[in-house]
Amino acid sequence: MSLWVDQYRPRTLDDLHYHPELSARLRSLAASGDFPHMLFYGPSGAGKKTRIACTLRELFGPGVEKLKIDQRVFMTPSKRKLDVNIVQSNFHIEITPSDVGIYDRVVIQEILKEIAQTQQVDLSAKQRFKVVIINEADSLSRDAQAALRRTMEKYMSNMRVILCANSTSKLIAPIKSRCLLIRVAAPSPEEMGVALARVAKKEKFDLPDEAATQIVSDAAGNLRKAILILEALKMQSPDLTSNISVAKPDWETYCIKVADLILQEQSAQRVMLVRGKLYELLSHCIPPTTILKTIASHLVDRVDESLKADIMHWAAFYEVRMCTGSKKIFHLEAWVVKVMSLYKHFFYGIDMPDDFEI
Amino acid sequence: MFLKPQPAKAAAAPKHTIDPQTQPWVEKYRPKTIDDISAQEHTVEVLRKTLVSANLPHMLFYGPPGTGKTSTILALSRQLFGPEHFRTRVLELNASDERGISIVREKIKTFARQTPRATSGSEYPCPPYKIIILDEADSMTQDAQAALRRIMETYARITRFCLVCNYVTRIIEPLASRCSKFRFQPLDIASTRFRLEHIASSENVPISPEAIAALIATSEGDLRRSITYLQSAARLSASATSPAPITPREIQEIAGVVPDVVVSSFAATLGVDMDHGMDMDLDDGPASKGSKGFDHVRGKVQEVMKDGYSAAQLLSQLHDLIMLHPTLTSRQKSRCALILAEVDKSLSDGGDEELQLLELGLRIHKALK
């Protein structure tokens, strides 16, 4: 039995619940036979992949759902071997090049050239081209993006690229100008409510309004999360009565605990304690940016108005440091210490030099 | 494994020219001769002379994307060698090819040292040298560039190099000094408009002058970008159930531009006084100012992020809005400029979009208070 998220994922463009004008646009593009390269972008859980899958189905028919997973080995110029998992059907191929870190360029070059240089031999095929889906395109390295540029133009006759990204900020302009940009916004609360009700109806149970509202507010625009929560809740209390509490994931409660620790006491010992907790979180593979953001957002809910801006400012500051640096824990700790000192100074009414005026 | 791609490539190439239906218009309307190049009079003037004298220096083309650098060199070499010799005389390498130092040593060197066969009876000048085009040369490593230095000199008699790049500063000095440099300027509005109208009319796309103006505005002198957008818009309007002329709004959506409404409401949240003056402000009243400031800004940022707009795009549009704002003082503007610059740097360093946008919002909010 699969998760509800997968089980009730819309399969065709007609099944999509929201953004009807976008679906109409995709459908007409798929029908026109003149299909461009595309770049889907939007927050996570908004339905980018679902839309891509639906578009593919519209293009090639149900054959695209027959997937097989391959493991391919690539060789870097320095003779290092890379194992990459590739999901493919007869009509498309899906890769996540960012899995291999800085060697993503090699994967992109090899795969694209291979696809681009083979032709569709079946004359009765619906489309003359194959589709390459590149996931997490925003974490592609500059080199890999540069490698895409000319290939996308040159092999247009037998290949189309669909990029899937959270944001277009990190994509270089030449890539953006070669793609049709498709923005998939997060669903509004009402649309999420409708989607949840659909799932509930298909599972044959009633979803009380309060429960739905709470789930929607908790998921914050992430439909995947909403459906996952719904399923979890249904497991916990089958009748879904009004008195439910949406369980937070463990790491989040842990982050809240850290935020509490920071506010309770500001001392060297406390920093050590927090450090242990941060290490714990990091060792469970929670992305450091997520840790920082979660703790920060819990902190600002609890401190005085005049401190909020400062805390966020330093969070942003150390987050960038974290990206450019190599050791994450240093920057997380630096931020914690900074927040503690800000808080303490505020508490004892000592004036801090205004750090904003640099 | 290694042999398989070769015949396929050979087969793909002719098909490419046969099937204009699926061809991107950027390729379809790529200038065939250097006289077709728009808006680069000076460069074209110089190159035309080389066509007559059939002599060519090493060249370095630089300029912003979409100004015709690759088109110029391709058109030039086509005019020099004609279609049948083009394949043997021109080697085109770009960032999608492996271009490390080993390739420079092997592939480029082998090609460079071949003496071209003498040709006769061709209607093209077909001068006795070959051309190596290194497209997107600024993404070559320093080492690879250094390895080119001597090759360029040794085989200068039979091989000419043409380096094409966006940032001339990323080409190492010894290479740059071996080439004659040509700067490509962003296209002016008139020639972009002329080109777009030409394409639109030969493709039978109904497009209003306003939509063309929107195309030009969103593409910022990048002709390729505006042509791609035009094609996308044409596809959409042609495939829609009721064909409608292209509107400026559609162009903006295709280009990923954040709608003006969103930008101005974001700006209003940050405390930028929007044009309508005081009475507007009173409506949002206490929400946009004073003690509710932080949560208000945060809510707005989350809303924008949820809609999936790109932070970098929002940043540049916000920059336009603030810099051209009629009532802000220069001091406020320069403070904002500082903040915008810092946030942009952080974003390109890979900072988290939501945090950075929040940072931007809070700091501008503070600077304008």
Side-chain angles (χ1 to χ4, degrees):
Chain A
M1 197 182 116
S2 57
L3 289 173
W4 290 356
V5 188
D6 296 319
Q7 203 177 343
Y8 300 115
R9 184 189 294 275
R11 299 267 182 260
T12 64
L13 286 174
D14 301 306
D15 292 348
L16 292 174
H17 302 204
Y18 48 92
H19 300 327
E21 65 300 333
L22 183 61
S23 312
R25 178 176 283 197
L26 288 173
R27 187 176 308 120
S28 54
L29 274 175
S32 71
D34 182 18
F35 194 72
H37 297 301
M38 296 215 263
L39 167 59
F40 283 77
Y41 66 103
S44 53
K48 299 180 293 295
K49 289 235 180 86
T50 309
R51 273 165 186 74
I52 294 177
C54 293
T55 314
L56 282 179
R57 202 191 139 104
E58 188 82 15
L59 272 174
F60 297 105
V64 283
E65 281 164 22
K66 284 200 193 98
L67 295 174
K68 62 173 187 239
I69 298 178
D70 260 355
Q71 196 169 47
R72 289 273 300 269
V73 180
F74 294 94
M75 190 82 92
T76 65
S78 54
K79 303 283 181 277
R80 226 184 101 128
K81 278 187 180 154
L82 307 170
D83 289 328
V84 180
N85 282 322
I86 293 174
V87 180
Q88 59 179 346
S89 76
N90 284 335
F91 307 100
H92 81 286
I93 185 164
E94 195 174 331
I95 45 174
T96 313
S98 45
D99 284 351
V100 287
I102 57 163
Y103 298 110
D104 50 357
R105 185 177 59 101
V106 184
V107 176
I108 292 258
Q109 280 175 351
E110 299 259 324
I111 294 251
L112 286 194
K113 292 219 158 154
E114 183 191 306
I115 298 274
Q117 294 173 347
T118 49
Q119 267 193 314
Q120 175 64 265
V121 279
D122 181 8
L123 283 175
S124 62
K126 253 182 138 180
Q127 309 290 346
R128 305 284 305 156
F129 54 82
K130 261 196 171 188
V131 173
V132 179
I133 300 172
I134 299 179
N135 288 326
E136 293 172 34
D138 41 1
S139 47
L140 285 179
S141 66
R142 286 280 154 116
D143 280 348
Q145 295 187 33
L148 268 178
R149 286 173 63 166
R150 189 81 184 112
T151 327
M152 282 170 79
E153 280 181 352
K154 220 167 163 182
Y155 301 112
M156 187 81 183
S157 57
N158 40 11
M159 176 189 71
R160 297 291 187 281
V161 175
I162 296 183
L163 300 163
C164 180
N166 277 126
S167 148
T168 57
S169 297
K170 280 167 207 149
L171 289 170
I172 56 175
I175 300 279
K176 279 188 267 182
S177 79
R178 282 171 176 82
C179 294
L180 177 58
L181 300 189
I182 295 195
R183 183 171 59 85
V184 184
S188 68
E190 296 82 49
E191 287 163 339
M192 282 175 77
V194 173
L196 285 179
R198 275 261 200 130
V199 173
K201 201 175 149 206
K202 281 193 186 148
E203 276 291 310
K204 301 192 181 60
F205 66 88
D206 269 339
L207 181 64
D209 280 346
E210 302 100 81
T213 341
Q214 198 176 350
I215 293 174
V216 167
S217 75
D218 232 61
N222 189 336
L223 190 55
R224 176 180 29 217
K225 196 171 164 191
I227 298 179
L228 283 172
I229 295 178
L230 177 66
E231 184 165 7
L233 279 183
K234 178 77 182 156
M235 291 295 154
Q236 276 172 17
S237 58
D239 51 345
L240 285 175
T241 43
S242 59
N243 198 8
I244 53 159
S245 64
V246 176
K248 287 197 168 66
D250 281 348
W251 61 268
E252 203 173 333
T253 33
Y254 215 76
C255 283
I256 299 175
K257 244 188 253 167
V258 174
D260 288 338
L261 285 177
I262 295 175
L263 292 186
Q264 277 160 11
E265 188 188 322
Q266 294 81 34
S267 63
Q269 291 90 337
R270 195 39 73 92
V271 175
M272 286 308 288
L273 194 64
V274 169
R275 169 188 203 162
K277 302 247 177 225
L278 288 177
Y279 258 125
E280 180 87 23
L281 280 167
L282 283 174
S283 63
H284 281 89
C285 291
I286 309 292
T289 304
T290 317
I291 300 178
L292 188 73
K293 271 169 84 174
T294 321
I295 299 181
S297 76
H298 283 292
L299 277 177
V300 290
D301 286 343
R302 248 168 277 180
V303 296
D304 189 84
E305 177 71 27
S306 57
L307 269 179
K308 289 180 176 179
D310 283 305
I311 290 181
M312 272 303 172
H313 166 73
W314 290 109
F317 180 83
Y318 284 110
E319 205 269 332
V320 175
R321 285 269 182 103
M322 206 153 67
C323 291
T324 44
S326 58
K327 194 90 174 138
K328 312 291 183 201
I329 186 81
F330 290 167
H331 306 285
L332 281 176
E333 266 175 17
W335 176 68
V336 168
V337 173
K338 187 83 201 174
V339 169
M340 282 188 176
S341 91
L342 274 175
Y343 191 75
K344 205 159 186 176
H345 277 99
F346 171 74
F347 210 65
Y348 293 108
I350 305 166
D351 267 344
M352 286 275 283
D354 199 343
D355 282 299
F356 276 0
E357 309 289 335
I358 303 159
Chain B
M1 186 68 204
F2 287 104
L3 289 174
K4 203 175 67 185
Q6 293 305 329
K9 187 182 181 182
K15 182 178 177 277
H16 203 67
T17 49
I18 292 166
D19 193 6
Q21 211 61 48
T22 58
Q23 215 177 351
W25 292 353
V26 186
E27 290 293 325
K28 197 170 170 186
Y29 294 95
R30 214 181 253 288
K32 301 283 185 301
T33 66
I34 56 168
D35 298 304
D36 294 345
I37 310 267
S38 303
Q40 312 290 352
E41 288 82 11
H42 175 69
T43 315
V44 171
E45 192 60 36
V46 176
L47 291 179
R48 201 175 288 133
K49 278 183 195 130
T50 69
L51 261 186
V52 180
S53 68
N55 195 14
L56 205 65
H58 292 308
M59 288 177 295
L60 172 60
F61 289 179
Y62 66 99
T67 48
K69 300 177 296 296
T70 314
S71 300
T72 307
I73 185 64
L74 284 178
L76 179 73
S77 24
R78 203 151 268 151
Q79 272 182 296
L80 274 176
F81 300 114
E84 76 260 47
H85 293 296
F86 185 80
R87 277 184 182 284
T88 54
R89 294 293 186 87
V90 179
L91 176 69
E92 190 194 347
L93 289 176
N94 54 52
S96 64
D97 303 293
E98 184 56 52
R99 268 196 319 196
I101 188 159
S102 59
I103 292 295
V104 171
R105 285 201 185 122
E106 289 156 25
K107 200 166 171 186
I108 296 186
K109 204 168 176 182
T110 341
F111 186 82
R113 62 150 69 109
Q114 289 165 357
T115 315
R117 203 175 300 158
T119 52
S120 56
S122 174
E123 57 190 296
Y124 297 95
C126 227
Y129 50 76
K130 305 172 305 284
I131 295 184
I132 297 184
I133 304 171
L134 294 174
D135 209 344
E136 294 146 32
D138 40 7
S139 64
M140 284 173 81
T141 59
Q142 297 257 324
D143 288 347
Q145 291 188 32
L148 267 182
R149 294 162 54 169
R150 197 66 196 135
I151 300 179
M152 276 175 92
E153 280 178 351
T154 320
Y155 303 106
R157 210 172 44 79
I158 47 173
T159 305
R160 300 296 139 81
F161 281 82
C162 179
L163 278 72
V164 178
C165 64
N166 292 133
Y167 305 101
V168 74
T169 43
R170 298 221 188 121
I171 304 291
I172 57 170
E173 189 51 36
L175 269 195
S177 73
R178 282 173 173 79
C179 303
S180 47
K181 292 181 199 156
F182 293 94
R183 199 177 99 81
F184 283 67
Q185 285 150 356
L187 267 74
D188 54 295
I189 291 177
S191 35
T192 316
R193 177 181 290 274
F194 175 76
R195 200 75 199 153
L196 287 176
E197 276 168 357
H198 165 72
I199 293 177
S201 70
S202 45
E203 291 284 340
N204 286 326
V205 179
I207 185 163
S208 61
E210 295 85 49
I212 290 205
L215 267 179
I216 297 171
T218 49
S219 60
E220 293 158 358
D222 181 342
L223 186 59
R224 180 185 30 231
R225 186 138 53 122
S226 51
I227 296 178
T228 320
Y229 290 160
L230 176 64
Q231 186 174 16
S232 309
R235 272 192 194 116
L236 286 181
S237 79
S239 55
T241 38
S242 57
I246 299 159
T247 62
R249 179 67 207 111
E250 267 176 45
I251 304 269
Q252 287 191 342
E253 179 70 37
I254 288 168
V257 175
V258 182
D260 292 339
V261 193
V262 177
V263 180
S264 44
S265 85
F266 186 69
T269 318
L270 304 188
V272 179
D273 190 13
M274 292 318 292
D275 276 357
H276 319 288
M278 281 317 178
D279 31 21
M280 261 296 272
D281 241 13
L282 285 179
D283 289 343
D284 309 329
S288 64
K289 290 225 165 94
S291 63
K292 292 282 281 174
F294 177 81
D295 291 321
H296 196 58
V297 173
R298 191 173 169 205
K300 190 75 199 170
V301 166
Q302 275 165 356
E303 190 183 313
V304 171
M305 289 312 293
K306 242 191 225 180
D307 271 342
Y309 294 113
S310 129
Q313 180 68 36
L314 184 66
L315 203 66
S316 81
Q317 282 179 258
L318 196 65
H319 171 257
D320 288 348
L321 191 144
I322 290 178
M323 291 307 132
L324 301 175
H325 197 277
T327 56
L328 290 178
T329 62
S330 328
R331 198 179 171 77
Q332 282 172 320
K333 282 186 186 177
S334 46
R335 270 206 207 116
C336 290
L338 253 172
I339 299 167
L340 285 164
E342 271 173 40
V343 172
D344 183 61
K345 164 87 170 82
S346 315
L347 269 179
S348 62
D349 277 346
D352 182 80
E353 294 214 334
E354 191 178 339
L355 273 179
Q356 289 305 329
L357 213 54
L358 191 55
E359 154 92 346
L360 170 88
L362 292 171
R363 287 181 64 181
I364 290 189
H365 187 71
K366 187 164 176 181
L368 294 182
K369 227 175 350 191

